[in-house]
Amino acid sequence: MVEPGRKVISGIVTGSPPVRSTYKVPYDRIKVMLELGVVTVLLVLASPIMLLCLIAVRLGSKGSPLYSQKRLGSCGRIITIYKILTMYEDCERNYGLMWSGPGDPRVTPLGRILRATHLDELPQLLNVVRGEMSLIGPRPERPEIVGQLERCFPAYRDRLLVRPGLSGLAQILQGPDTSLHDVQTKLRYDIYYLHNHGFWLDPRIGLASLLYLPRVPGPIIARVFRFPIYDFLPAEAGLQGEGIAASSRVRPEYAN
């Protein structure tokens, strides 16, 4: 059932979002406390790995091995997330703002390994400790890209009603974006998460993330953990000619 004042267009809820209380504020507060304990343990275990990765990157690349980037957090607040550097120094100055796709020439050889294993994301555990991110939630996007995606999907900003996460339903069930239609499908997963996150869904996503890391296909993960599976929606004229530049030499469309 769709809340009053909202409607569904092509499978995506649009219109003014409901008040924040709809999204289980008491659970969110408990979630923060539980995650703080989990992240503390993860940081202790991951610190030696992060240190080795930072040293390896520093030996093979110029500049700082730790990379920071502005993203949109909950309620549209600008946050700074941290990653281990996987691209050549100042690559964005040469290529401009774009998503990363398969065969991205900006990514270093070591960076490909770090990205494939998701080790480059480990510093974002610090963002969880600071209360800016969650272990589970929609992935935070860059403000410049959000502005462009909102022109295609008015409901895209609804994702900001919860804290962004290191892992999430959209990420584990669908791989990196290769077109705006991929973004459209991911948005459906994010909206599903907004309306259903809680003590039953979040732990399942956390466990499912362990299967995602070794690249178990999304449909298999969905069957094991009883997640919804959304098919791609039919192509629409409004999605043609809109999007973000891609870096991929393999897929010269819109890549993430």
Side-chain angles (χ1 to χ4, degrees):
M1 180 177 180
V2 179
E3 294 83 2
R6 295 168 70 82
K7 57 183 178 179
V8 176
I9 298 178
S10 297
I12 294 180
V13 181
T14 64
S16 301
V19 295
R20 182 65 180 87
S21 60
T22 302
Y23 295 118
K24 308 175 185 178
V25 172
Y27 166 73
D28 290 341
R29 291 171 179 166
I30 296 173
K31 180 181 178 182
V32 169
M33 293 185 290
L34 292 175
E35 285 189 337
L36 185 58
V38 173
V39 170
T40 301
V41 175
L42 290 177
L43 270 175
V44 172
L45 297 176
S47 292
I49 300 174
M50 282 194 288
L51 181 60
L52 290 175
C53 291
L54 290 170
I55 293 174
V57 171
R58 183 65 184 89
L59 292 175
S61 305
K62 297 179 181 179
S64 171
L66 194 63
Y67 177 66
S68 65
Q69 194 175 72
K70 300 296 183 183
R71 298 289 179 99
L72 281 187
S74 63
C75 301
R77 182 165 61 99
I78 300 292
I79 63 174
T80 301
I81 68 167
Y82 301 95
K83 290 185 176 184
I84 297 174
L85 187 67
T86 59
M87 294 187 177
Y88 293 102
E89 187 181 21
D90 293 331
C91 61
E92 193 163 285
R93 183 179 303 173
N94 299 322
Y95 289 89
L97 174 66
M98 58 177 61
W99 281 333
S100 179
D104 190 339
R106 302 173 301 167
V107 180
T108 65
L110 176 59
R112 299 187 193 284
I113 298 174
L114 294 176
R115 283 173 171 252
T117 56
H118 299 281
L119 291 176
D120 62 315
E121 307 282 353
L122 286 178
Q124 289 169 46
L125 291 171
L126 298 173
N127 292 104
V128 180
V129 172
R130 292 165 55 174
E132 298 169 335
M133 290 182 62
S134 174
L135 288 176
I136 306 297
R139 282 298 297 167
E141 187 53 272
R142 300 182 67 171
E144 307 92 326
I145 293 179
V146 170
Q148 296 183 54
L149 293 177
E150 277 190 295
R151 291 199 292 269
C152 296
F153 312 115
Y156 194 81
R157 191 166 287 264
D158 286 11
R159 304 164 72 256
L160 304 179
L161 289 172
V162 295
R163 287 184 302 151
L166 285 173
S167 182
L169 193 62
Q171 296 93 281
I172 62 177
L173 295 185
Q174 184 178 315
D177 298 327
T178 57
S179 71
L180 284 180
H181 298 294
D182 292 339
V183 176
Q184 188 178 38
T185 305
K186 272 190 173 179
L187 180 56
R188 299 172 75 190
Y189 285 119
D190 287 335
I191 290 176
Y192 176 89
Y193 177 78
L194 290 176
H195 289 280
N196 294 279
H197 73 288
F199 290 112
W200 173 236
L201 182 59
D202 279 18
R204 288 156 58 211
I205 295 177
L207 292 174
S209 299
L210 300 178
L211 295 182
Y212 171 75
L213 291 175
R215 300 185 180 276
V216 174
I220 295 178
I221 294 176
R223 286 197 295 270
V224 171
F225 291 95
R226 302 181 64 83
F227 293 142
I229 282 289
Y230 293 124
D231 295 325
F232 284 105
L233 295 169
E236 296 182 13
L239 299 185
Q240 306 303 319
E242 288 277 357
I244 314 300
S247 62
S248 172
R249 293 175 297 182
V250 179
R251 296 287 300 275
E253 302 176 60
Y254 312 117
N256 183 8

Coordinates of all heavy atoms in Angstrom, one line a residue, residues 63-151:
G63 N 51.4 10.2 -3.8 CA 50.4 10.9 -3.0 C 49.9 10.0 -1.8 O 50.5 9.0 -1.6
S64 N 48.9 10.5 -1.2 CA 48.4 9.8 0.0 C 47.7 8.5 -0.3 O 46.9 8.4 -1.3 CB 47.4 10.7 0.8 OG 46.8 10.0 1.8
P65 N 47.9 7.4 0.4 CA 47.2 6.1 0.1 C 45.8 6.1 0.6 O 45.0 5.2 0.3 CB 48.1 5.1 0.9 CG 48.6 5.9 2.0 CD 48.9 7.2 1.5
L66 N 45.4 7.1 1.4 CA 44.0 7.2 1.9 C 43.3 8.3 1.1 O 43.8 9.4 0.9 CB 44.0 7.6 3.4 CG 42.7 7.4 4.1 CD1 42.2 5.9 4.0 CD2 42.8 7.8 5.5
Y67 N 42.1 8.0 0.6 CA 41.4 8.9 -0.3 C 40.1 9.3 0.4 O 39.4 8.4 1.0 CB 41.1 8.1 -1.6 CG 40.3 8.9 -2.6 CD1 40.8 10.0 -3.2 CD2 39.0 8.4 -3.0 CE1 40.0 10.7 -4.2 CE2 38.3 9.1 -3.9 CZ 38.7 10.2 -4.5 OH 38.0 10.9 -5.4
S68 N 39.7 10.5 0.3 CA 38.5 11.0 0.8 C 37.6 11.6 -0.3 O 38.1 12.1 -1.3 CB 38.7 12.1 1.9 OG 39.3 13.2 1.4
Q69 N 36.3 11.5 0.0 CA 35.3 11.9 -1.0 C 34.1 12.4 -0.4 O 33.6 11.8 0.6 CB 35.1 10.8 -2.0 CG 34.4 11.2 -3.3 CD 34.2 10.1 -4.3 OE1 33.4 9.2 -4.1 NE2 35.0 10.1 -5.4
K70 N 33.4 13.4 -0.9 CA 32.2 13.9 -0.3 C 31.0 13.1 -0.9 O 30.9 12.8 -2.0 CB 32.0 15.4 -0.7 CG 33.1 16.3 -0.2 CD 33.1 16.4 1.3 CE 34.2 17.4 1.8 NZ 34.3 17.4 3.2
R71 N 30.2 12.7 0.0 CA 28.9 11.9 -0.3 C 27.8 12.5 0.5 O 27.9 13.3 1.4 CB 29.1 10.5 0.0 CG 30.2 9.7 -0.7 CD 29.9 9.5 -2.2 NE 31.0 8.8 -2.9 CZ 31.0 7.5 -3.1 NH1 30.0 6.8 -2.7 NH2 32.0 7.0 -3.8
L72 N 26.5 12.1 0.1 CA 25.3 12.6 0.8 C 25.0 11.5 1.8 O 24.8 10.3 1.5 CB 24.2 12.8 -0.2 CG 24.2 14.1 -1.0 CD1 22.9 14.2 -1.8 CD2 24.3 15.3 -0.1
G73 N 24.9 12.0 3.1 CA 24.4 11.1 4.1 C 22.9 11.2 4.4 O 22.2 11.7 3.6
S74 N 22.5 10.8 5.6 CA 21.1 10.8 5.9 C 20.6 12.3 5.9 O 21.3 13.2 6.3 CB 20.8 10.2 7.3 OG 21.5 10.8 8.3
C75 N 19.4 12.5 5.5 CA 18.7 13.8 5.4 C 19.5 14.8 4.6 O 19.4 16.0 4.7 CB 18.6 14.4 6.9 SG 17.6 13.4 7.9
G76 N 20.3 14.3 3.6 CA 21.0 15.1 2.7 C 22.3 15.8 3.3 O 22.8 16.7 2.6
R77 N 22.7 15.4 4.4 CA 23.9 16.0 5.0 C 25.2 15.5 4.3 O 25.3 14.3 4.0 CB 24.0 15.6 6.5 CG 25.2 16.2 7.3 CD 24.9 16.1 8.8 NE 24.8 14.7 9.2 CZ 25.8 14.0 9.7 NH1 27.0 14.6 9.9 NH2 25.7 12.8 10.1
I78 N 26.1 16.4 4.0 CA 27.3 16.1 3.4 C 28.2 15.4 4.4 O 28.5 15.9 5.4 CB 28.0 17.4 2.8 CG1 27.1 18.1 1.8 CG2 29.4 17.0 2.2 CD1 26.9 17.3 0.5
I79 N 28.7 14.2 4.0 CA 29.7 13.5 4.8 C 31.0 13.3 4.0 O 30.9 13.3 2.7 CB 29.1 12.2 5.3 CG1 28.8 11.2 4.2 CG2 27.9 12.4 6.2 CD1 28.4 9.8 4.6
T80 N 32.0 13.0 4.6 CA 33.3 12.7 4.0 C 33.6 11.2 4.2 O 33.8 10.8 5.4 CB 34.5 13.5 4.5 OG1 34.2 14.9 4.3 CG2 35.8 13.1 3.8
I81 N 33.6 10.4 3.2 CA 33.9 9.0 3.4 C 35.4 8.7 3.0 O 36.0 9.5 2.3 CB 33.0 8.1 2.5 CG1 33.3 8.2 1.0 CG2 31.5 8.3 2.8 CD1 32.6 7.2 0.2
Y82 N 35.9 7.6 3.5 CA 37.3 7.4 3.3 C 37.5 6.0 2.6 O 36.7 5.1 2.9 CB 38.1 7.3 4.6 CG 37.9 8.6 5.3 CD1 37.0 8.8 6.3 CD2 38.8 9.7 5.0 CE1 36.8 10.1 7.0 CE2 38.7 10.9 5.7 CZ 37.7 11.1 6.7 OH 37.6 12.3 7.3
K83 N 38.4 6.0 1.7 CA 38.7 4.8 0.9 C 40.3 4.6 0.8 O 41.0 5.6 0.9 CB 38.1 4.8 -0.5 CG 36.6 4.6 -0.5 CD 36.2 4.6 -2.0 CE 34.7 4.3 -2.2 NZ 34.4 4.1 -3.6
I84 N 40.7 3.4 0.6 CA 42.1 3.2 0.2 C 42.2 3.5 -1.3 O 41.4 3.1 -2.1 CB 42.5 1.8 0.5 CG1 42.5 1.5 2.0 CG2 44.0 1.5 0.0 CD1 42.7 0.1 2.4
L85 N 43.2 4.3 -1.6 CA 43.4 4.8 -3.0 C 43.5 3.6 -4.0 O 44.3 2.7 -3.8 CB 44.6 5.7 -3.1 CG 44.8 6.4 -4.4 CD1 43.7 7.4 -4.7 CD2 46.2 7.1 -4.5
T86 N 42.7 3.6 -5.0 CA 42.7 2.6 -6.0 C 43.0 3.1 -7.4 O 43.1 2.4 -8.4 CB 41.4 1.8 -6.1 OG1 40.3 2.6 -6.3 CG2 41.2 1.1 -4.7
M87 N 43.0 4.5 -7.6 CA 43.2 5.1 -8.9 C 44.5 5.9 -8.9 O 45.0 6.2 -7.9 CB 42.0 6.0 -9.2 CG 40.7 5.3 -9.4 SD 39.4 6.4 -10.0 CE 38.0 5.2 -10.2
Y88 N 44.9 6.2 -10.1 CA 46.1 7.0 -10.3 C 45.8 8.4 -9.7 O 44.7 8.9 -9.8 CB 46.5 7.1 -11.7 CG 47.0 5.8 -12.3 CD1 46.2 5.0 -13.1 CD2 48.3 5.3 -12.0 CE1 46.6 3.8 -13.6 CE2 48.7 4.1 -12.5 CZ 47.9 3.3 -13.3 OH 48.3 2.1 -13.8
E89 N 46.9 9.1 -9.3 CA 46.7 10.4 -8.7 C 46.2 11.4 -9.7 O 46.6 11.5 -10.8 CB 48.1 10.9 -8.1 CG 48.1 12.2 -7.4 CD 49.4 12.6 -6.9 OE1 50.4 12.2 -7.5 OE2 49.5 13.4 -5.9
D90 N 45.3 12.3 -9.2 CA 44.7 13.4 -10.0 C 44.0 12.9 -11.3 O 43.9 13.6 -12.2 CB 45.8 14.4 -10.3 CG 46.3 15.1 -9.1 OD1 45.5 15.3 -8.2 OD2 47.4 15.6 -9.2
C91 N 43.5 11.7 -11.3 CA 42.9 11.1 -12.5 C 41.6 11.9 -12.8 O 41.3 12.1 -14.0 CB 42.6 9.6 -12.3 SG 41.5 9.2 -11.0
E92 N 40.9 12.4 -11.8 CA 39.6 13.1 -12.1 C 39.9 14.4 -12.8 O 39.0 14.9 -13.5 CB 38.8 13.3 -10.8 CG 37.4 13.7 -11.0 CD 36.5 13.5 -9.8 OE1 36.1 12.3 -9.5 OE2 36.1 14.5 -9.2
R93 N 41.0 15.0 -12.5 CA 41.4 16.2 -13.2 C 41.5 16.0 -14.7 O 41.2 16.9 -15.5 CB 42.7 16.8 -12.6 CG 43.1 18.1 -13.2 CD 44.4 18.6 -12.5 NE 44.3 18.7 -11.1 CZ 45.3 18.9 -10.3 NH1 46.5 19.1 -10.7 NH2 45.1 19.0 -8.9
N94 N 41.9 14.9 -15.1 CA 42.1 14.6 -16.5 C 40.8 14.0 -17.1 O 40.5 14.3 -18.3 CB 43.2 13.6 -16.7 CG 44.5 14.1 -16.2 OD1 44.8 15.3 -16.4 ND2 45.3 13.2 -15.6
Y95 N 40.0 13.2 -16.4 CA 38.9 12.6 -16.9 C 37.5 13.2 -16.6 O 36.5 13.0 -17.2 CB 38.8 11.1 -16.5 CG 39.9 10.2 -17.1 CD1 41.1 10.1 -16.5 CD2 39.6 9.5 -18.3 CE1 42.1 9.3 -17.0 CE2 40.6 8.7 -18.8 CZ 41.8 8.6 -18.2 OH 42.8 7.8 -18.7
G96 N 37.5 14.0 -15.5 CA 36.3 14.7 -15.1 C 35.5 13.7 -14.2 O 35.9 12.6 -13.9
L97 N 34.3 14.2 -13.8 CA 33.4 13.4 -12.9 C 32.8 12.3 -13.7 O 32.1 12.5 -14.7 CB 32.3 14.3 -12.3 CG 31.2 13.6 -11.5 CD1 31.8 13.0 -10.2 CD2 30.1 14.6 -11.1
M98 N 33.0 11.0 -13.3 CA 32.3 9.9 -13.9 C 32.4 8.7 -13.0 O 33.1 8.6 -12.1 CB 33.1 9.5 -15.2 CG 34.5 9.2 -15.1 SD 35.3 8.7 -16.7 CE 35.1 10.2 -17.6
W99 N 31.4 7.8 -13.3 CA 31.4 6.5 -12.6 C 32.5 5.6 -13.1 O 33.0 5.8 -14.2 CB 30.1 5.8 -12.8 CG 29.0 6.3 -11.9 CD1 29.1 6.9 -10.7 CD2 27.6 6.3 -12.2 NE1 27.8 7.3 -10.2 CE2 26.9 6.9 -11.2 CE3 26.8 5.8 -13.3 CZ2 25.5 7.0 -11.1 CZ3 25.5 5.9 -13.3 CH2 24.8 6.5 -12.2
S100 N 32.9 4.6 -12.3 CA 33.9 3.7 -12.7 C 33.2 2.4 -13.2 O 32.3 1.9 -12.6 CB 34.8 3.3 -11.5 OG 35.8 2.4 -11.9
G101 N 33.7 1.9 -14.4 CA 33.2 0.8 -15.0 C 34.2 -0.3 -15.3 O 35.4 -0.1 -14.9
P102 N 33.9 -1.4 -15.9 CA 34.8 -2.5 -16.2 C 35.9 -1.9 -17.1 O 35.7 -1.2 -18.0 CB 34.0 -3.5 -16.9 CG 32.6 -3.2 -16.5 CD 32.5 -1.8 -16.3
G103 N 37.2 -2.3 -16.8 CA 38.3 -1.9 -17.6 C 38.6 -0.4 -17.4 O 39.3 0.2 -18.3
D104 N 38.3 0.2 -16.3 CA 38.5 1.6 -16.1 C 40.0 1.9 -16.1 O 40.8 1.3 -15.3 CB 38.0 2.0 -14.7 CG 38.0 3.5 -14.4 OD1 38.7 4.2 -15.1 OD2 37.2 3.9 -13.5
P105 N 40.5 2.7 -17.1 CA 41.9 3.0 -17.2 C 42.5 3.8 -16.0 O 43.7 3.9 -15.9 CB 42.0 3.8 -18.5 CG 40.7 4.4 -18.7 CD 39.7 3.5 -18.1
R106 N 41.6 4.4 -15.2 CA 42.1 5.2 -14.1 C 42.5 4.3 -12.9 O 43.2 4.8 -12.0 CB 41.0 6.1 -13.6 CG 40.5 7.1 -14.7 CD 39.2 7.8 -14.2 NE 38.2 6.9 -13.8 CZ 37.1 7.3 -13.1 NH1 37.0 8.6 -12.7 NH2 36.2 6.4 -12.8
V107 N 42.1 3.1 -12.9 CA 42.4 2.2 -11.7 C 43.7 1.5 -11.9 O 44.1 1.0 -12.9 CB 41.3 1.1 -11.6 CG1 41.6 0.2 -10.4 CG2 39.9 1.7 -11.4
T108 N 44.5 1.5 -10.8 CA 45.8 0.9 -10.8 C 45.7 -0.6 -10.8 O 44.7 -1.1 -10.4 CB 46.7 1.4 -9.6 OG1 46.0 0.9 -8.4 CG2 46.7 2.9 -9.6
P109 N 46.8 -1.4 -11.1 CA 46.7 -2.8 -11.0 C 46.4 -3.3 -9.6 O 45.6 -4.2 -9.4 CB 48.1 -3.3 -11.4 CG 48.6 -2.2 -12.4 CD 48.0 -0.9 -11.8
L110 N 47.0 -2.7 -8.6 CA 46.7 -3.1 -7.2 C 45.3 -2.6 -6.8 O 44.6 -3.3 -6.1 CB 47.7 -2.4 -6.2 CG 47.5 -2.6 -4.7 CD1 47.5 -4.1 -4.4 CD2 48.5 -1.9 -3.9
G111 N 44.9 -1.5 -7.4 CA 43.5 -1.0 -7.1 C 42.5 -2.0 -7.6 O 41.4 -2.1 -7.0
R112 N 42.7 -2.7 -8.7 CA 41.8 -3.7 -9.2 C 41.6 -4.8 -8.2 O 40.5 -5.3 -8.0 CB 42.2 -4.2 -10.5 CG 42.3 -3.2 -11.6 CD 42.6 -3.8 -13.0 NE 43.0 -2.8 -13.9 CZ 42.2 -1.9 -14.5 NH1 40.9 -2.0 -14.3 NH2 42.7 -1.0 -15.3
I113 N 42.7 -5.2 -7.5 CA 42.6 -6.3 -6.5 C 41.8 -5.7 -5.3 O 40.9 -6.4 -4.8 CB 44.0 -6.7 -6.1 CG1 44.7 -7.3 -7.3 CG2 43.9 -7.7 -5.0 CD1 46.2 -7.7 -7.0
L114 N 42.1 -4.5 -4.9 CA 41.5 -4.0 -3.7 C 40.0 -3.8 -4.0 O 39.1 -4.0 -3.1 CB 42.1 -2.6 -3.4 CG 43.5 -2.7 -2.9 CD1 44.1 -1.2 -2.6 CD2 43.7 -3.5 -1.6
R115 N 39.6 -3.4 -5.2 CA 38.2 -3.2 -5.5 C 37.5 -4.5 -5.6 O 36.3 -4.7 -5.1 CB 38.0 -2.4 -6.8 CG 38.3 -0.9 -6.7 CD 38.3 -0.3 -8.0 NE 38.3 1.2 -7.9 CZ 37.3 2.0 -8.1 NH1 36.1 1.5 -8.5 NH2 37.4 3.3 -7.9
A116 N 38.1 -5.5 -6.2 CA 37.5 -6.8 -6.3 C 37.2 -7.5 -5.0 O 36.2 -8.2 -4.8 CB 38.4 -7.7 -7.2
T117 N 38.1 -7.2 -4.0 CA 38.0 -7.8 -2.7 C 37.2 -6.9 -1.7 O 37.0 -7.3 -0.6 CB 39.3 -8.2 -2.1 OG1 40.2 -7.0 -2.1 CG2 40.0 -9.2 -2.9
H118 N 37.0 -5.7 -2.2 CA 36.3 -4.6 -1.3 C 37.1 -4.2 -0.1 O 36.6 -3.6 0.8 CB 34.9 -5.1 -0.9 CG 34.0 -5.4 -2.0 ND1 33.3 -4.4 -2.7 CD2 33.6 -6.6 -2.6 CE1 32.5 -5.0 -3.6 NE2 32.7 -6.3 -3.6
L119 N 38.4 -4.5 -0.2 CA 39.3 -4.0 0.9 C 39.5 -2.5 0.9 O 39.8 -1.9 2.0 CB 40.7 -4.7 0.8 CG 40.7 -6.2 1.0 CD1 42.1 -6.7 0.8 CD2 40.3 -6.5 2.5
D120 N 39.3 -1.9 -0.2 CA 39.4 -0.4 -0.3 C 38.3 0.3 0.5 O 38.4 1.5 0.9 CB 39.4 0.1 -1.7 CG 38.0 -0.3 -2.4 OD1 37.6 -1.4 -2.3 OD2 37.5 0.6 -3.1
E121 N 37.2 -0.4 0.9 CA 36.1 0.2 1.6 C 36.3 0.1 3.1 O 35.5 0.7 3.9 CB 34.8 -0.6 1.2 CG 34.5 -0.7 -0.2 CD 34.0 0.6 -0.8 OE1 33.7 1.6 0.0 OE2 33.8 0.7 -2.1
L122 N 37.3 -0.6 3.6 CA 37.5 -0.9 5.0 C 37.6 0.4 5.9 O 37.0 0.5 7.0 CB 38.7 -1.7 5.3 CG 38.5 -3.2 5.0 CD1 39.9 -4.0 5.3 CD2 37.4 -3.8 5.8
P123 N 38.2 1.5 5.4 CA 38.3 2.7 6.2 C 36.9 3.3 6.5 O 36.8 4.1 7.4 CB 39.1 3.7 5.3 CG 40.0 2.8 4.5 CD 39.1 1.6 4.2
Q124 N 35.9 2.9 5.7 CA 34.6 3.5 6.0 C 34.0 3.0 7.3 O 32.9 3.4 7.8 CB 33.6 3.2 4.8 CG 34.0 4.0 3.6 CD 33.2 3.6 2.4 OE1 32.0 3.3 2.4 NE2 34.0 3.5 1.3
L125 N 34.6 2.0 7.9 CA 34.3 1.6 9.3 C 34.4 2.8 10.2 O 33.6 2.9 11.2 CB 35.1 0.4 9.8 CG 34.9 -0.9 9.1 CD1 36.0 -1.9 9.5 CD2 33.6 -1.5 9.4
L126 N 35.3 3.7 10.0 CA 35.4 4.9 10.8 C 34.2 5.8 10.6 O 33.8 6.4 11.6 CB 36.7 5.7 10.3 CG 38.0 4.9 10.6 CD1 39.2 5.7 10.0 CD2 38.3 4.7 12.0
N127 N 33.6 5.8 9.4 CA 32.4 6.6 9.2 C 31.2 6.0 10.0 O 30.4 6.7 10.5 CB 32.0 6.6 7.7 CG 33.0 7.4 6.9 OD1 33.8 6.8 6.2 ND2 32.9 8.7 7.0
V128 N 31.2 4.7 10.2 CA 30.2 4.0 11.0 C 30.4 4.4 12.5 O 29.4 4.7 13.2 CB 30.2 2.5 10.9 CG1 29.1 1.9 11.7 CG2 30.0 2.1 9.4
V129 N 31.6 4.4 13.0 CA 31.9 4.8 14.3 C 31.5 6.2 14.6 O 31.0 6.6 15.7 CB 33.4 4.6 14.6 CG1 33.8 5.2 16.0 CG2 33.8 3.2 14.6
R130 N 31.7 7.1 13.6 CA 31.3 8.5 13.8 C 29.8 8.8 13.6 O 29.4 9.9 13.7 CB 32.1 9.3 12.7 CG 33.6 9.4 13.0 CD 34.4 9.9 11.8 NE 33.9 11.2 11.3 CZ 34.5 11.9 10.4 NH1 35.6 11.4 9.8 NH2 34.1 13.1 10.0
G131 N 29.0 7.7 13.3 CA 27.6 7.8 13.2 C 27.1 8.4 11.9 O 26.0 8.7 11.7
E132 N 28.0 8.5 10.9 CA 27.7 9.0 9.6 C 27.2 7.9 8.6 O 26.4 8.3 7.7 CB 28.9 9.7 8.9 CG 29.4 10.9 9.7 CD 30.8 11.3 9.3 OE1 31.5 10.5 8.7 OE2 31.1 12.5 9.5
M133 N 27.6 6.7 8.9 CA 27.1 5.6 8.1 C 26.7 4.5 8.9 O 26.9 4.4 10.1 CB 28.3 5.1 7.1 CG 28.6 6.1 6.0 SD 29.9 5.5 4.9 CE 29.1 4.0 4.2
S134 N 26.1 3.5 8.3 CA 25.6 2.3 9.0 C 26.3 1.1 8.3 O 26.8 1.2 7.2 CB 24.1 2.1 8.9 OG 23.6 0.9 9.4
L135 N 26.3 -0.1 8.9 CA 26.8 -1.3 8.3 C 25.9 -1.7 7.1 O 26.3 -2.1 6.1 CB 26.9 -2.4 9.3 CG 28.1 -2.3 10.3 CD1 28.0 -3.5 11.3 CD2 29.4 -2.3 9.6
I136 N 24.6 -1.5 7.3 CA 23.6 -1.8 6.3 C 22.8 -0.6 5.9 O 22.2 0.1 6.8 CB 22.6 -2.9 6.8 CG1 23.4 -4.1 7.4 CG2 21.6 -3.4 5.7 CD1 24.2 -4.9 6.3
G137 N 22.6 -0.4 4.7 CA 21.8 0.8 4.2 C 22.1 1.0 2.7 O 23.0 0.4 2.1
P138 N 21.4 2.0 2.1 CA 21.7 2.3 0.7 C 23.1 2.9 0.6 O 23.6 3.6 1.5 CB 20.7 3.4 0.4 CG 19.6 3.2 1.4 CD 20.3 2.7 2.6
R139 N 23.8 2.7 -0.5 CA 25.2 3.2 -0.7 C 25.1 4.7 -0.8 O 24.2 5.2 -1.6 CB 25.8 2.6 -1.9 CG 26.4 1.2 -1.6 CD 27.5 1.2 -0.6 NE 28.6 2.0 -1.0 CZ 29.6 2.3 -0.1 NH1 29.5 2.0 1.2 NH2 30.7 3.0 -0.5
P140 N 26.0 5.5 -0.2 CA 26.0 6.9 -0.4 C 26.5 7.3 -1.7 O 27.5 6.7 -2.2 CB 26.9 7.4 0.7 CG 27.9 6.3 1.0 CD 27.1 5.0 0.7
E141 N 25.9 8.3 -2.3 CA 26.3 8.7 -3.7 C 26.9 10.2 -3.6 O 26.6 10.9 -2.6 CB 25.1 8.7 -4.6 CG 25.4 8.9 -6.1 CD 26.5 8.1 -6.6 OE1 27.7 8.5 -6.5 OE2 26.2 7.0 -7.2
R142 N 27.6 10.5 -4.6 CA 28.2 11.9 -4.7 C 27.1 12.9 -4.9 O 26.2 12.7 -5.7 CB 29.2 12.0 -5.8 CG 30.4 11.0 -5.6 CD 31.4 11.1 -6.6 NE 32.1 12.4 -6.5 CZ 33.2 12.7 -7.3 NH1 33.7 11.8 -8.1 NH2 33.8 13.8 -7.2
P143 N 27.2 14.1 -4.3 CA 26.1 15.1 -4.4 C 25.9 15.5 -5.9 O 24.7 15.7 -6.3 CB 26.6 16.3 -3.6 CG 27.6 15.7 -2.6 CD 28.2 14.5 -3.3
E144 N 27.0 15.6 -6.7 CA 26.8 16.0 -8.1 C 26.0 15.0 -8.9 O 25.2 15.3 -9.7 CB 28.2 16.2 -8.7 CG 29.1 17.1 -8.0 CD 30.0 16.4 -7.0 OE1 29.6 15.4 -6.4 OE2 31.1 16.8 -6.8
I145 N 26.2 13.7 -8.6 CA 25.6 12.6 -9.3 C 24.1 12.5 -8.8 O 23.2 12.3 -9.6 CB 26.3 11.3 -9.1 CG1 27.7 11.3 -9.8 CG2 25.5 10.1 -9.6 CD1 28.5 10.1 -9.7
V146 N 23.9 12.7 -7.5 CA 22.5 12.6 -7.0 C 21.6 13.7 -7.7 O 20.5 13.4 -8.1 CB 22.5 12.9 -5.5 CG1 21.0 13.1 -5.0 CG2 23.1 11.7 -4.8
G147 N 22.2 14.9 -7.9 CA 21.4 15.9 -8.6 C 21.0 15.5 -10.0 O 19.9 15.8 -10.4
Q148 N 21.9 14.8 -10.7 CA 21.5 14.3 -12.0 C 20.5 13.2 -12.0 O 19.6 13.2 -12.8 CB 22.8 13.9 -12.8 CG 23.8 15.0 -13.0 CD 25.0 14.6 -13.7 OE1 24.9 14.0 -14.8 NE2 26.2 14.8 -13.2
L149 N 20.7 12.3 -11.1 CA 19.8 11.1 -11.0 C 18.4 11.6 -10.6 O 17.4 11.0 -11.0 CB 20.3 10.1 -10.0 CG 21.6 9.4 -10.4 CD1 22.1 8.4 -9.4 CD2 21.4 8.6 -11.8
E150 N 18.3 12.6 -9.7 CA 16.9 13.1 -9.3 C 16.1 13.6 -10.5 O 14.9 13.6 -10.4 CB 17.1 14.2 -8.3 CG 17.3 13.7 -6.9 CD 17.2 14.8 -5.8 OE1 18.1 15.7 -5.9 OE2 16.3 14.7 -5.0
R151 N 16.8 14.1 -11.5 CA 16.0 14.6 -12.7 C 15.4 13.4 -13.4 O 14.3 13.6 -14.0 CB 17.0 15.3 -13.6 CG 17.5 16.6 -13.1 CD 18.0 17.5 -14.2 NE 19.2 17.0 -14.8 CZ 20.5 17.3 -14.4 NH1 20.6 18.1 -13.4 NH2 21.5 16.8 -15.0

